[in-house]
Short mmCIF file of all heavy atoms in Angstrom, two decimals:
data_model
loop_
_atom_site.label_atom_id
_atom_site.label_comp_id
_atom_site.label_asym_id
_atom_site.label_seq_id
_atom_site.Cartn_x
_atom_site.Cartn_y
_atom_site.Cartn_z
N LEU A 117 -8.56 2.42 -9.67
CA LEU A 117 -7.64 1.40 -9.19
C LEU A 117 -6.78 0.82 -10.30
O LEU A 117 -5.56 0.70 -10.17
CB LEU A 117 -8.43 0.27 -8.52
CG LEU A 117 -9.10 0.61 -7.18
CD1 LEU A 117 -9.93 -0.57 -6.68
CD2 LEU A 117 -8.07 0.99 -6.16
N GLU A 118 -7.40 0.42 -11.44
CA GLU A 118 -6.62 -0.18 -12.49
C GLU A 118 -5.87 0.85 -13.34
O GLU A 118 -6.21 2.03 -13.35
CB GLU A 118 -7.55 -1.03 -13.40
CG GLU A 118 -8.14 -2.26 -12.70
CD GLU A 118 -9.36 -1.93 -11.86
OE1 GLU A 118 -9.86 -0.79 -11.89
OE2 GLU A 118 -9.78 -2.86 -11.13
N GLU A 119 -4.83 0.39 -13.99
CA GLU A 119 -3.91 1.31 -14.69
C GLU A 119 -4.61 2.26 -15.69
O GLU A 119 -4.35 3.43 -15.67
CB GLU A 119 -2.82 0.49 -15.40
CG GLU A 119 -1.72 1.34 -16.01
CD GLU A 119 -0.87 2.16 -14.97
OE1 GLU A 119 -0.84 1.70 -13.80
OE2 GLU A 119 -0.31 3.17 -15.35
N PRO A 120 -5.49 1.74 -16.56
CA PRO A 120 -6.15 2.66 -17.50
C PRO A 120 -6.97 3.75 -16.80
O PRO A 120 -6.92 4.93 -17.20
CB PRO A 120 -7.08 1.74 -18.34
CG PRO A 120 -6.52 0.39 -18.21
CD PRO A 120 -5.90 0.32 -16.83
N PHE A 121 -7.63 3.37 -15.74
CA PHE A 121 -8.44 4.41 -15.00
C PHE A 121 -7.52 5.34 -14.26
O PHE A 121 -7.78 6.56 -14.19
CB PHE A 121 -9.39 3.70 -13.96
CG PHE A 121 -10.29 2.68 -14.58
CD1 PHE A 121 -10.56 1.47 -13.94
CD2 PHE A 121 -10.91 2.87 -15.79
CE1 PHE A 121 -11.41 0.53 -14.48
CE2 PHE A 121 -11.79 1.98 -16.35
CZ PHE A 121 -12.01 0.77 -15.68
N TYR A 122 -6.43 4.83 -13.74
CA TYR A 122 -5.47 5.68 -13.02
C TYR A 122 -4.89 6.72 -13.96
O TYR A 122 -4.82 7.92 -13.63
CB TYR A 122 -4.38 4.79 -12.44
CG TYR A 122 -3.24 5.50 -11.78
CD1 TYR A 122 -3.41 6.23 -10.60
CD2 TYR A 122 -1.93 5.50 -12.33
CE1 TYR A 122 -2.36 6.87 -9.99
CE2 TYR A 122 -0.88 6.14 -11.74
CZ TYR A 122 -1.11 6.84 -10.55
OH TYR A 122 -0.07 7.48 -9.93
N GLN A 123 -4.47 6.29 -15.15
CA GLN A 123 -3.87 7.22 -16.10
C GLN A 123 -4.91 8.22 -16.56
O GLN A 123 -4.61 9.46 -16.69
CB GLN A 123 -3.34 6.44 -17.30
CG GLN A 123 -2.11 5.57 -17.03
CD GLN A 123 -0.89 6.35 -16.60
OE1 GLN A 123 -0.71 7.55 -17.03
NE2 GLN A 123 -0.04 5.80 -15.77
N SER A 124 -6.15 7.80 -16.79
CA SER A 124 -7.19 8.70 -17.27
C SER A 124 -7.51 9.75 -16.16
O SER A 124 -7.71 10.93 -16.46
CB SER A 124 -8.48 7.94 -17.60
OG SER A 124 -8.26 7.10 -18.73
N PHE A 125 -7.54 9.32 -14.91
CA PHE A 125 -7.77 10.25 -13.81
C PHE A 125 -6.69 11.29 -13.71
O PHE A 125 -6.97 12.51 -13.63
CB PHE A 125 -7.92 9.46 -12.49
CG PHE A 125 -8.02 10.30 -11.30
CD1 PHE A 125 -9.07 11.18 -11.13
CD2 PHE A 125 -7.13 10.16 -10.24
CE1 PHE A 125 -9.19 11.98 -9.99
CE2 PHE A 125 -7.18 10.94 -9.13
CZ PHE A 125 -8.22 11.86 -9.02
N MET A 126 -5.46 10.87 -13.70
CA MET A 126 -4.33 11.77 -13.55
C MET A 126 -4.22 12.74 -14.72
O MET A 126 -4.01 13.97 -14.57
CB MET A 126 -3.04 11.01 -13.37
CG MET A 126 -2.92 10.24 -12.05
SD MET A 126 -3.02 11.35 -10.64
CE MET A 126 -2.90 10.18 -9.29
N HIS A 127 -4.47 12.24 -15.94
CA HIS A 127 -4.43 13.11 -17.11
C HIS A 127 -5.62 14.09 -17.08
O HIS A 127 -5.46 15.26 -17.46
CB HIS A 127 -4.49 12.29 -18.40
CG HIS A 127 -3.21 11.57 -18.68
ND1 HIS A 127 -2.02 12.21 -18.76
CD2 HIS A 127 -2.96 10.29 -18.95
CE1 HIS A 127 -1.02 11.34 -19.02
NE2 HIS A 127 -1.63 10.12 -19.17
N GLY A 128 -6.77 13.64 -16.58
CA GLY A 128 -7.94 14.53 -16.44
C GLY A 128 -7.66 15.67 -15.47
O GLY A 128 -8.24 16.78 -15.65
N LEU A 129 -6.82 15.45 -14.49
CA LEU A 129 -6.44 16.51 -13.58
C LEU A 129 -5.39 17.47 -14.12
O LEU A 129 -5.11 18.48 -13.57
CB LEU A 129 -5.88 15.91 -12.27
CG LEU A 129 -6.89 15.05 -11.44
CD1 LEU A 129 -6.22 14.53 -10.16
CD2 LEU A 129 -8.15 15.84 -11.05
N GLY A 130 -4.81 17.05 -15.28
CA GLY A 130 -3.80 17.90 -15.91
C GLY A 130 -2.35 17.51 -15.65
O GLY A 130 -1.44 18.26 -16.07
N PHE A 131 -2.11 16.42 -15.03
CA PHE A 131 -0.75 15.94 -14.76
C PHE A 131 -0.14 15.40 -16.09
O PHE A 131 -0.87 14.71 -16.85
CB PHE A 131 -0.67 14.90 -13.70
CG PHE A 131 -1.04 15.39 -12.32
CD1 PHE A 131 -2.23 15.04 -11.68
CD2 PHE A 131 -0.12 16.18 -11.62
CE1 PHE A 131 -2.52 15.50 -10.43
CE2 PHE A 131 -0.43 16.64 -10.35
CZ PHE A 131 -1.63 16.29 -9.76
N THR A 132 1.15 15.68 -16.33
CA THR A 132 1.84 15.17 -17.46
C THR A 132 2.31 13.74 -17.19
O THR A 132 2.30 13.30 -16.03
CB THR A 132 3.00 16.03 -17.83
OG1 THR A 132 3.96 15.98 -16.77
CG2 THR A 132 2.58 17.47 -18.04
N VAL A 133 2.72 13.06 -18.23
CA VAL A 133 3.25 11.70 -18.07
C VAL A 133 4.39 11.70 -17.06
O VAL A 133 4.50 10.77 -16.24
CB VAL A 133 3.70 11.15 -19.42
CG1 VAL A 133 4.40 9.77 -19.26
CG2 VAL A 133 2.52 10.99 -20.38
N GLU A 134 5.26 12.71 -17.15
CA GLU A 134 6.41 12.74 -16.27
C GLU A 134 6.01 12.97 -14.80
O GLU A 134 6.76 12.59 -13.88
CB GLU A 134 7.37 13.81 -16.69
CG GLU A 134 8.02 13.60 -18.04
CD GLU A 134 7.10 13.85 -19.22
OE1 GLU A 134 6.07 14.51 -19.01
OE2 GLU A 134 7.38 13.36 -20.32
N GLU A 135 4.86 13.59 -14.61
CA GLU A 135 4.45 13.90 -13.20
C GLU A 135 3.67 12.76 -12.55
O GLU A 135 3.36 12.91 -11.36
CB GLU A 135 3.56 15.18 -13.24
CG GLU A 135 4.31 16.45 -13.64
CD GLU A 135 3.40 17.63 -13.79
OE1 GLU A 135 2.32 17.46 -14.42
OE2 GLU A 135 3.73 18.72 -13.32
N ILE A 136 3.30 11.77 -13.28
CA ILE A 136 2.45 10.71 -12.75
C ILE A 136 3.36 9.56 -12.26
O ILE A 136 4.01 8.87 -13.07
CB ILE A 136 1.50 10.17 -13.80
CG1 ILE A 136 0.62 11.29 -14.34
CG2 ILE A 136 0.64 9.06 -13.24
CD1 ILE A 136 -0.29 10.89 -15.47
N PRO A 137 3.43 9.33 -10.98
CA PRO A 137 4.23 8.20 -10.44
C PRO A 137 3.54 6.87 -10.71
O PRO A 137 2.32 6.80 -10.93
CB PRO A 137 4.32 8.51 -8.96
CG PRO A 137 3.06 9.23 -8.65
CD PRO A 137 2.70 10.04 -9.86
N PRO A 138 4.28 5.78 -10.66
CA PRO A 138 3.64 4.44 -10.71
C PRO A 138 2.56 4.31 -9.67
O PRO A 138 2.77 4.66 -8.50
CB PRO A 138 4.81 3.47 -10.53
CG PRO A 138 6.03 4.25 -10.89
CD PRO A 138 5.72 5.63 -10.51
N ARG A 139 1.42 3.79 -10.02
CA ARG A 139 0.29 3.77 -9.09
C ARG A 139 0.51 2.90 -7.87
O ARG A 139 -0.11 3.14 -6.85
CB ARG A 139 -0.99 3.33 -9.85
CG ARG A 139 -0.94 1.89 -10.36
CD ARG A 139 -2.18 1.60 -11.24
NE ARG A 139 -2.05 0.33 -11.95
CZ ARG A 139 -2.50 -0.81 -11.46
NH1 ARG A 139 -3.12 -0.86 -10.32
NH2 ARG A 139 -2.33 -1.92 -12.17
N ASN A 140 1.44 1.95 -7.98
CA ASN A 140 1.69 1.06 -6.80
C ASN A 140 2.92 1.49 -6.02
O ASN A 140 3.37 0.74 -5.11
CB ASN A 140 1.85 -0.38 -7.26
CG ASN A 140 0.52 -0.94 -7.78
OD1 ASN A 140 -0.54 -0.61 -7.23
ND2 ASN A 140 0.57 -1.76 -8.81
N ASP A 141 3.48 2.65 -6.34
CA ASP A 141 4.66 3.13 -5.58
C ASP A 141 4.15 3.84 -4.34
O ASP A 141 3.88 5.02 -4.32
CB ASP A 141 5.45 4.09 -6.46
CG ASP A 141 6.75 4.55 -5.79
OD1 ASP A 141 6.97 4.20 -4.60
OD2 ASP A 141 7.52 5.23 -6.43
N ARG A 142 4.10 3.05 -3.25
CA ARG A 142 3.56 3.61 -1.98
C ARG A 142 4.40 4.72 -1.43
O ARG A 142 3.91 5.53 -0.62
CB ARG A 142 3.38 2.44 -0.98
CG ARG A 142 2.40 1.41 -1.43
CD ARG A 142 2.07 0.44 -0.32
NE ARG A 142 1.08 -0.53 -0.78
CZ ARG A 142 0.07 -1.05 0.00
NH1 ARG A 142 -0.01 -0.66 1.23
NH2 ARG A 142 -0.77 -1.92 -0.47
N SER A 143 5.64 4.76 -1.75
CA SER A 143 6.52 5.83 -1.20
C SER A 143 6.07 7.20 -1.70
O SER A 143 6.44 8.21 -1.11
CB SER A 143 7.97 5.58 -1.61
OG SER A 143 8.13 5.72 -3.06
N GLN A 144 5.31 7.28 -2.78
CA GLN A 144 4.89 8.57 -3.33
C GLN A 144 3.39 8.84 -3.13
O GLN A 144 2.89 9.89 -3.54
CB GLN A 144 5.21 8.63 -4.83
CG GLN A 144 6.69 8.46 -5.14
CD GLN A 144 6.97 8.83 -6.62
OE1 GLN A 144 6.71 9.92 -7.05
NE2 GLN A 144 7.59 7.87 -7.32
N TRP A 145 2.72 7.92 -2.47
CA TRP A 145 1.27 8.08 -2.29
C TRP A 145 0.92 9.37 -1.50
O TRP A 145 0.04 10.09 -1.90
CB TRP A 145 0.68 6.86 -1.57
CG TRP A 145 0.38 5.73 -2.47
CD1 TRP A 145 0.63 5.64 -3.81
CD2 TRP A 145 -0.22 4.48 -2.08
NE1 TRP A 145 0.20 4.42 -4.33
CE2 TRP A 145 -0.32 3.72 -3.29
CE3 TRP A 145 -0.70 3.93 -0.89
CZ2 TRP A 145 -0.88 2.45 -3.27
CZ3 TRP A 145 -1.26 2.68 -0.88
CH2 TRP A 145 -1.34 1.93 -2.08
N GLU A 146 1.57 9.56 -0.36
CA GLU A 146 1.24 10.69 0.51
C GLU A 146 1.42 12.02 -0.23
O GLU A 146 0.57 12.91 -0.20
CB GLU A 146 2.04 10.64 1.76
CG GLU A 146 1.47 11.47 2.90
CD GLU A 146 0.06 11.03 3.37
OE1 GLU A 146 -0.19 9.81 3.32
OE2 GLU A 146 -0.72 11.91 3.77
N GLU A 147 2.54 12.19 -0.91
CA GLU A 147 2.83 13.40 -1.62
C GLU A 147 1.81 13.55 -2.77
O GLU A 147 1.37 14.72 -2.98
CB GLU A 147 4.25 13.38 -2.19
CG GLU A 147 4.63 14.56 -3.00
CD GLU A 147 6.01 14.46 -3.64
OE1 GLU A 147 6.74 13.45 -3.35
OE2 GLU A 147 6.38 15.35 -4.40
N MET A 148 1.49 12.51 -3.46
CA MET A 148 0.57 12.63 -4.59
C MET A 148 -0.83 12.91 -4.09
O MET A 148 -1.60 13.65 -4.81
CB MET A 148 0.59 11.31 -5.41
CG MET A 148 0.11 11.48 -6.85
SD MET A 148 1.25 12.61 -7.73
CE MET A 148 0.23 13.05 -9.12
N LYS A 149 -1.21 12.40 -2.98
CA LYS A 149 -2.57 12.73 -2.42
C LYS A 149 -2.68 14.22 -2.18
O LYS A 149 -3.73 14.81 -2.48
CB LYS A 149 -2.79 11.96 -1.13
CG LYS A 149 -3.20 10.50 -1.32
CD LYS A 149 -3.25 9.77 0.07
CE LYS A 149 -4.29 10.41 0.96
NZ LYS A 149 -4.32 9.69 2.28
N VAL A 150 -1.63 14.86 -1.71
CA VAL A 150 -1.62 16.28 -1.43
C VAL A 150 -1.78 17.02 -2.75
O VAL A 150 -2.60 18.00 -2.83
CB VAL A 150 -0.37 16.71 -0.69
CG1 VAL A 150 -0.29 18.23 -0.58
CG2 VAL A 150 -0.30 16.09 0.70
N LYS A 151 -1.08 16.59 -3.76
CA LYS A 151 -1.15 17.26 -5.08
C LYS A 151 -2.54 17.09 -5.72
O LYS A 151 -3.13 18.06 -6.21
CB LYS A 151 -0.11 16.73 -6.00
CG LYS A 151 1.31 17.05 -5.61
CD LYS A 151 2.31 16.46 -6.59
CE LYS A 151 3.76 16.82 -6.22
NZ LYS A 151 4.75 16.22 -7.22
N VAL A 152 -3.07 15.89 -5.64
CA VAL A 152 -4.42 15.66 -6.18
C VAL A 152 -5.45 16.47 -5.46
O VAL A 152 -6.33 17.12 -6.10
CB VAL A 152 -4.75 14.15 -6.13
CG1 VAL A 152 -6.25 13.90 -6.41
CG2 VAL A 152 -3.88 13.34 -7.09
N ALA A 153 -5.37 16.53 -4.15
CA ALA A 153 -6.35 17.29 -3.36
C ALA A 153 -6.33 18.79 -3.73
O ALA A 153 -7.34 19.44 -3.85
CB ALA A 153 -6.07 17.10 -1.89
#
């Protein structure tokens, strides 16, 4: 949930800084869930 954990999770999955949307940007949640899955 918090920013440090969010960044660590996304980086652990292999996403680059440019590929990680702001965690509170709900407009990108659905698309990002598909990518994470």
Side-chain angles (χ1 to χ4, degrees):
L117 291 176
E118 292 82 8
E119 187 65 23
F121 304 140
Y122 175 69
Q123 292 294 331
S124 295
F125 173 60
M126 292 300 180
H127 287 307
L129 296 181
F131 291 107
T132 65
V133 173
E134 294 76 17
E135 293 174 317
I136 303 174
R139 63 187 170 92
N140 292 324
D141 184 356
R142 297 189 178 217
S143 67
Q144 300 191 59
W145 277 3
E146 197 63 33
E147 179 184 355
M148 202 61 197
K149 280 174 61 180
V150 173
K151 293 180 179 179
V152 168

